[in-house]
Amino acid sequence: MKVIIICTLFISLINTPLLPLLRISAAEERGLSQMKSAQKEVYDAHRSYTRFHFTDNEMDFAFQWLLGSIVNGGAEIGEAFYVAAHIEDGNPKSWQDEWERMALRKELRARRALDAGHLITARQCLLKASNYYRTALVSRSVSDGKFNTISKKVRSCMQAAAPLFSPAMIYFEVPFAGTVLPGYYRPVQQNGTARKTLLMIGGGETFVEDNIFYIEPQAILRGYNFVTVDIPGQGMLPSEGLFFKKDTEIEMKAILDVILDFAEIDPERLAVYGISNGGYFVPRAATLEKRIKAIVVSSAVVDNYLMFKEMPFSKESQEQIDSWPAFKKAVTSGVTWRWGLEPENIKGQTEQTRGFQFNPALITCPVLDLVGAGEYVNRETERQQQEFMAKLGSKNKTLIVTPEDEGASSHCIGENRSLMAELVFDWLDELWPE
Amino acid sequence: MKVIIICTLFISLINTPLLPLLRISAAEERGLSQMKSAQKEVYDAHRSYTRFHFTDNEMDFAFQWLLGSIVNGGAEIGEAFYVAAHIEDGNPKSWQDEWERMALRKELRARRALDAGHLITARQCLLKASNYYRTALVSRSVSDGKFNTISKKVRSCMQAAAPLFSPAMIYFEVPFAGTVLPGYYRPVQQNGTARKTLLMIGGGETFVEDNIFYIEPQAILRGYNFVTVDIPGQGMLPSEGLFFKKDTEIEMKAILDVILDFAEIDPERLAVYGISNGGYFVPRAATLEKRIKAIVVSSAVVDNYLMFKEMPFSKESQEQIDSWPAFKKAVTSGVTWRWGLEPENIKGQTEQTRGFQFNPALITCPVLDLVGAGEYVNRETERQQQEFMAKLGSKNKTLIVTPEDEGASSHCIGENRSLMAELVFDWLDELWPE
């Protein structure tokens, strides 16, 4: 077992020829300490340690998530800050309107580029349009008819972008429970050569398209085929009656039955990566689905119920929740819907996760666990990572705490996807050297 | 002659099925109007219309320039905002220290990656280290010994990254005036096939490494070889007695004599792109150097003296300049040095540009001129673009004003390099269809 705590301490011990690495002002140190103390006691996945634009914390987290996608083609800095400057801080409606406006501008530009035969420009604009529509959805009520309309734009823009990759990215569907799980597949090359492959699974609030902006370009750059699929509870699947469920090995079987037929996927070198609540979904599946040859999580959720018990909606009273800022309430209601509950039943989420557990000892493939330093200060998060590492049935297991002083501290390391991807693929490269 | 004003007006005239595109609050509209009124009368290349982090305008512009490089591998959002959060707003020393710290962290990570054989990670970290060192230099006094030390880190990190590209990027030098002009060359493929090529020339305050983060990855993606070289006045050349000079056709000849020997460069499809003051350097060279087959500028400076007369250091008294904020004074002094003046002689710059003129009628190759909407509101900027377009000896000429509502409003469109590169390469693709 290898535990690497790449944190401030580690970095600052290294010889520093130019200047001391750390010198935070007293005021900043106080603010940071307060955030950390709060995170230690109450686990808020959307807590951040750096302000990006908004004073509304929940809105700033959503903005940070969008900004994190820039390195993977999901946004542009000028576009993002133009939108931010026009959003009324904390107002869910204003957030929706402004992102939709920017999405539309990119979509119009893509259409003109397509007409003129400029395929790379069209692709780049469609990707951003898809992601801006997706971002607009974050605060929209699922019972609002427009939620459905905009979600279709997320998909149609991505589907229009897909064939403009070279080789093409392919939209595909996994038959499941009378409906289908939507997925995308991008091979490094389409010549039938079997290669290493990353299957990316999102978390408790993702659409399958998010996973593309999380890591896809880095996979291709490193010579890994990229696949991603929505599982029950994710994307628009709740609208078809598919909510989060504990036995994720069932949908994983359905997914692998389909993708292992893709000629370019080497079944002996298939890694599955789960983020956020995917830190439960993926390892749980790996306890039973032995066609998974390696897993990565950011980070492990060994017991979903015990984790949710530490979250604000469990710790706070209904009265307190009623007085939450509008944006936080909107975002959390949207997630609640994914657990098969009425969106306003935010507190109900906790009970829904009872029995969402897995036994790490049953996982026998190599495991990488990444956790942001800002998340790791939470006691229950730390405890679950330690339990996960200690009990794993695999000998090849590594825990990396990513450092605050490289801006890699938050949930899923969403604000430094370069560093995150470097850790993931360097680890996989060592596992499967060419 | 084709003049495309892709501005707010144009976009808002298009049918909008989802929602009206523009709805700016009254307060924002007022702030925007004030900035525009100011820009109309006094041309400040570092004026911005969106705040990214700092209240110090000059520092915020430098930060925006850094953020703009994210899409081209020059930075990460988490790293950039971690640094910003630790900088004392407006303090030049604090700016230097914090960027150097982050540069060092990336450099250390690169070294560890190199040791472990993780070449892509090493390359990515070295690129960011180079750019963070470069960013640290922005506010450092040129007479400070460390200016030289850090500038060597900018180069050594880039030189270490160069061979890690595939095919390798090559550092080369153009013999000139008893010294050398430093350059980088990245071919799309290194198999001797002659391809379209973009030669990128910076402006009045750039290092050659900046040009890589401005556009290089987009060139390769589009199938264009990328070359960039510092000309007198740029990078560290002032320390060797090479300052900005008006007869740029002389260094352009020296550069072309070298690069046209590179096997992969098709001499019939060589475009040269100049940004900022490069909007003078490049077209001036093209009036005499006919081996240039197309030029792009952002944006045209037909008469450098008349442009500089509109800038704050010309319009304001010495007393006013003496009371400038520290960061603005530091940045402007650094630029002043490039004109062969004592750094504190900020006002002296105006006279140095006398005679920096060219006759557009002598340019006979195709021309693309890009100007951010926020720059175009300046009367003299608009006048010079109109004069440039009207007098050009070429029939194939296009002026594009890039729109504010896509966050593409500022100097060199530095905050939306995706959109900028799309316009450049789509135009070149139409010029030289495959």
Side-chain angles (χ1 to χ4, degrees):
Chain A
M1 169 176 162
K2 188 162 61 164
V3 179
I4 307 174
I5 312 284
I6 305 182
C7 66
T8 297
L9 182 67
F10 173 77
I11 296 283
S12 61
L13 287 174
I14 292 176
N15 176 35
T16 60
L18 288 167
L19 74 184
L21 275 163
L22 265 174
R23 203 210 47 193
I24 302 180
S25 77
E28 283 159 343
E29 194 62 87
R30 265 197 307 281
L32 214 57
S33 297
Q34 280 167 7
M35 290 296 261
K36 279 186 189 164
S37 299
Q39 186 74 320
K40 193 171 178 181
E41 304 301 330
V42 179
Y43 175 67
D44 184 349
H46 294 185
R47 206 184 292 278
S48 66
Y49 300 97
T50 301
R51 188 163 304 290
F52 289 86
H53 181 85
F54 298 101
T55 57
D56 182 293
N57 282 321
E58 191 72 27
M59 188 176 271
D60 207 51
F61 179 83
F63 187 54
Q64 180 245 76
W65 188 260
L66 181 279
L67 291 175
S69 75
I70 293 177
V71 294
N72 293 327
E76 244 294 356
I77 198 81
E79 293 162 11
F81 275 86
Y82 177 87
V83 170
H86 289 77
I87 291 171
E88 187 188 325
D89 203 333
N91 184 330
K93 172 76 168 61
S94 173
W95 172 274
Q96 294 151 22
D97 290 350
E98 297 303 330
W99 286 112
E100 285 170 33
R101 284 187 177 90
M102 188 58 86
L104 186 55
R105 289 181 197 113
K106 293 290 105 180
E107 202 185 352
L108 292 172
R109 204 176 267 283
R111 277 189 223 158
R112 291 197 298 270
L114 270 180
D115 289 346
H118 298 307
L119 303 187
I120 294 179
T121 294
R123 180 181 81 210
Q124 292 182 160
C125 292
L126 283 165
L127 288 171
K128 291 184 182 78
S130 175
N131 203 32
Y132 294 152
Y133 281 125
R134 167 67 186 102
T135 303
L137 276 188
V138 165
S139 66
R140 193 175 277 284
S141 164
V142 296
S143 51
D144 174 346
K146 220 175 157 190
F147 188 85
N148 205 28
T149 315
I150 300 292
S151 78
K152 284 182 180 147
K153 300 290 289 179
V154 175
R155 182 128 318 148
S156 66
C157 286
M158 185 59 77
Q159 286 176 325
L164 304 175
F165 283 96
S166 178
M169 183 160 75
I170 296 149
Y171 172 79
F172 70 100
E173 295 175 334
V174 175
F176 188 79
T179 180
V180 294
L181 310 178
Y184 295 91
Y185 170 48
R186 188 175 170 202
V188 176
Q189 289 188 301
Q190 203 156 27
N191 56 6
T193 304
R195 288 177 183 269
K196 301 185 270 193
T197 300
L198 184 74
L199 168 60
M200 183 79 218
I201 301 293
E205 43 191 326
T206 55
F207 279 64
V208 65
E209 287 80 8
D210 297 344
N211 303 332
I212 292 169
F213 298 114
Y214 185 69
I215 199 167
E216 175 273 322
Q218 290 288 332
I220 300 301
L221 178 69
R222 302 287 190 138
Y224 289 72
N225 301 311
F226 177 80
V227 196
T228 186
V229 183
D230 262 344
I231 62 172
Q234 297 176 336
M236 291 303 286
L237 290 171
S239 69
E240 303 188 57
L242 291 186
F243 306 105
F244 290 126
K245 52 198 260 313
K246 61 183 166 190
D247 49 358
T248 53
E249 60 278 7
I250 297 180
E251 52 261 33
M252 187 60 76
K253 178 182 184 302
I255 293 167
L256 298 193
D257 285 351
V258 169
I259 71 169
L260 288 176
D261 277 346
F262 296 164
E264 298 81 9
I265 296 185
D266 178 355
E268 293 308 312
R269 294 181 298 169
L270 173 68
V272 187
Y273 184 4
I275 53 168
S276 192
N277 221 100
Y280 166 77
F281 305 138
V282 167
R284 158 77 194 221
T287 59
L288 291 159
E289 178 51 84
K290 295 300 170 183
R291 289 178 293 176
I292 296 175
K293 299 305 179 192
I295 65 169
V296 183
V297 288
S298 180
S299 47
V301 182
V302 176
D303 188 318
N304 224 138
Y305 179 71
L306 292 182
M307 201 68 241
F308 269 38
K309 289 268 281 182
E310 298 301 313
M311 291 188 172
F313 55 78
S314 299
K315 296 253 186 180
E316 295 181 27
S317 68
Q318 185 58 46
E319 266 183 350
Q320 285 173 303
I321 291 172
D322 289 343
S323 66
W324 275 3
F327 197 84
K328 184 180 177 73
K329 220 184 287 182
V331 170
T332 318
S333 297
V335 179
T336 301
W337 170 67
R338 304 185 173 284
W339 291 94
L341 299 166
E342 290 302 315
E344 57 272 23
N345 184 12
I346 289 174
K347 275 191 89 63
Q349 291 179 95
T350 322
E351 282 306 312
Q352 291 301 96
T353 61
R354 263 196 201 277
F356 278 59
Q357 294 168 311
F358 66 87
N359 179 0
L362 300 178
I363 297 173
T364 47
C365 66
V367 175
L368 173 65
D369 182 359
L370 302 177
V371 55
E375 300 247 301
Y376 200 63
V377 297
N378 175 259
R379 281 197 272 231
E380 180 61 13
T381 302
E382 181 183 356
R383 193 197 65 72
Q384 294 212 17
Q385 307 320 303
Q386 292 300 332
E387 181 187 348
F388 183 57
M389 280 289 130
K391 292 188 178 167
L392 274 169
S394 346
K395 279 192 180 146
N396 184 340
K397 49 189 174 182
T398 302
L399 171 67
I400 300 178
V401 181
T402 57
E404 192 178 296
D405 70 359
E406 286 177 82
S409 192
S410 298
H411 195 54
C412 310
I413 318 163
E415 80 278 41
N416 196 336
R417 302 183 195 189
S418 299
L419 176 58
M420 175 277 297
E422 287 161 5
L423 295 171
V424 169
F425 291 107
D426 288 352
W427 181 80
L428 286 172
D429 283 351
E430 291 190 5
L431 188 63
W432 297 320
E434 292 286 5
Chain B
M1 169 175 162
K2 188 161 62 164
V3 179
I4 307 174
I5 312 283
I6 305 182
C7 66
T8 297
L9 182 68
F10 173 77
I11 296 284
S12 61
L13 287 174
I14 292 177
N15 176 35
T16 60
L18 288 167
L19 74 184
L21 276 162
L22 265 173
R23 202 210 48 193
I24 302 180
S25 77
E28 283 159 343
E29 194 60 88
R30 266 197 306 282
L32 214 57
S33 296
Q34 280 167 7
M35 291 295 261
K36 279 187 190 163
S37 299
Q39 186 74 320
K40 193 171 177 181
E41 304 301 330
V42 180
Y43 175 67
D44 184 349
H46 294 184
R47 206 184 293 277
S48 66
Y49 300 97
T50 301
R51 188 163 305 288
F52 289 85
H53 181 85
F54 299 100
T55 57
D56 183 292
N57 282 321
E58 191 72 27
M59 188 176 271
D60 207 51
F61 179 82
F63 187 55
Q64 180 245 76
W65 188 260
L66 181 279
L67 291 175
S69 75
I70 293 178
V71 293
N72 293 327
E76 244 295 355
I77 198 81
E79 293 163 12
F81 275 85
Y82 178 86
V83 170
H86 289 77
I87 291 171
E88 187 188 324
D89 203 332
N91 183 330
K93 173 76 167 61
S94 173
W95 171 274
Q96 294 151 22
D97 290 350
E98 297 303 331
W99 286 112
E100 285 171 33
R101 284 187 176 90
M102 188 58 86
L104 186 56
R105 289 182 197 113
K106 293 290 105 181
E107 202 185 352
L108 292 171
R109 203 175 267 283
R111 277 189 222 158
R112 291 197 298 270
L114 270 180
D115 288 346
H118 297 307
L119 303 187
I120 293 178
T121 294
R123 180 181 81 209
Q124 292 181 161
C125 291
L126 284 164
L127 288 171
K128 291 184 182 77
S130 175
N131 204 33
Y132 294 152
Y133 281 126
R134 167 67 185 100
T135 303
L137 275 188
V138 165
S139 66
R140 194 175 276 285
S141 164
V142 296
S143 50
D144 175 345
K146 221 175 156 189
F147 187 84
N148 205 27
T149 315
I150 300 292
S151 78
K152 284 182 180 147
K153 300 290 289 179
V154 176
R155 183 129 316 150
S156 66
C157 287
M158 185 59 77
Q159 286 176 325
L164 304 176
F165 283 97
S166 178
M169 184 159 74
I170 296 149
Y171 172 79
F172 70 100
E173 296 176 333
V174 175
F176 188 79
T179 180
V180 294
L181 311 178
Y184 295 91
Y185 170 48
R186 189 175 170 201
V188 176
Q189 288 189 300
Q190 203 156 28
N191 56 6
T193 304
R195 287 176 183 269
K196 301 185 270 193
T197 300
L198 184 74
L199 168 60
M200 183 80 219
I201 301 292
E205 43 191 326
T206 56
F207 279 63
V208 65
E209 286 80 8
D210 297 344
N211 303 333
I212 293 169
F213 298 114
Y214 185 70
I215 200 167
E216 175 273 322
Q218 290 289 332
I220 301 301
L221 177 69
R222 302 287 190 137
Y224 288 72
N225 301 312
F226 177 81
V227 196
T228 186
V229 183
D230 262 343
I231 62 171
Q234 297 176 336
M236 290 303 286
L237 290 171
S239 69
E240 304 188 55
L242 291 186
F243 306 105
F244 290 126
K245 53 199 260 312
K246 61 183 166 189
D247 48 358
T248 53
E249 60 278 7
I250 297 180
E251 52 261 33
M252 187 61 75
K253 178 182 185 304
I255 293 167
L256 298 193
D257 285 350
V258 169
I259 71 169
L260 288 176
D261 277 346
F262 296 164
E264 298 81 10
I265 297 184
D266 178 354
E268 293 309 312
R269 294 181 297 169
L270 173 68
V272 187
Y273 184 4
I275 53 168
S276 191
N277 221 101
Y280 166 77
F281 305 138
V282 167
R284 158 77 193 220
T287 60
L288 291 159
E289 178 51 84
K290 295 299 170 183
R291 289 178 292 177
I292 296 174
K293 299 304 179 192
I295 65 169
V296 183
V297 288
S298 180
S299 47
V301 182
V302 177
D303 187 318
N304 224 138
Y305 179 71
L306 291 182
M307 201 68 241
F308 269 38
K309 289 269 280 182
E310 299 301 314
M311 291 188 172
F313 54 79
S314 299
K315 296 253 185 180
E316 295 181 27
S317 68
Q318 185 58 46
E319 265 183 350
Q320 286 173 304
I321 291 172
D322 289 343
S323 66
W324 275 3
F327 197 84
K328 184 180 176 73
K329 220 185 287 182
V331 170
T332 318
S333 298
V335 178
T336 301
W337 170 67
R338 304 185 174 284
W339 291 94
L341 299 166
E342 290 303 315
E344 57 272 22
N345 184 12
I346 289 174
K347 275 191 89 63
Q349 291 179 95
T350 322
E351 282 306 312
Q352 292 300 97
T353 61
R354 263 195 201 277
F356 278 59
Q357 294 168 311
F358 66 87
N359 179 0
L362 300 178
I363 297 174
T364 47
C365 65
V367 174
L368 173 64
D369 182 358
L370 302 177
V371 56
E375 300 246 302
Y376 200 63
V377 297
N378 174 259
R379 280 197 271 232
E380 180 61 13
T381 302
E382 180 182 356
R383 194 197 65 72
Q384 294 212 17
Q385 307 320 304
Q386 292 300 333
E387 181 187 348
F388 183 57
M389 280 289 130
K391 291 189 178 166
L392 274 169
S394 346
K395 279 192 182 146
N396 184 340
K397 49 189 174 182
T398 302
L399 170 66
I400 300 178
V401 181
T402 57
E404 192 179 296
D405 70 359
E406 286 178 81
S409 192
S410 298
H411 195 54
C412 310
I413 317 163
E415 80 279 40
N416 196 335
R417 301 182 195 189
S418 299
L419 176 58
M420 175 278 296
E422 287 160 5
L423 296 171
V424 169
F425 291 107
D426 288 352
W427 181 80
L428 286 172
D429 283 352
E430 291 190 6
L431 188 63
W432 297 320
E434 293 286 4

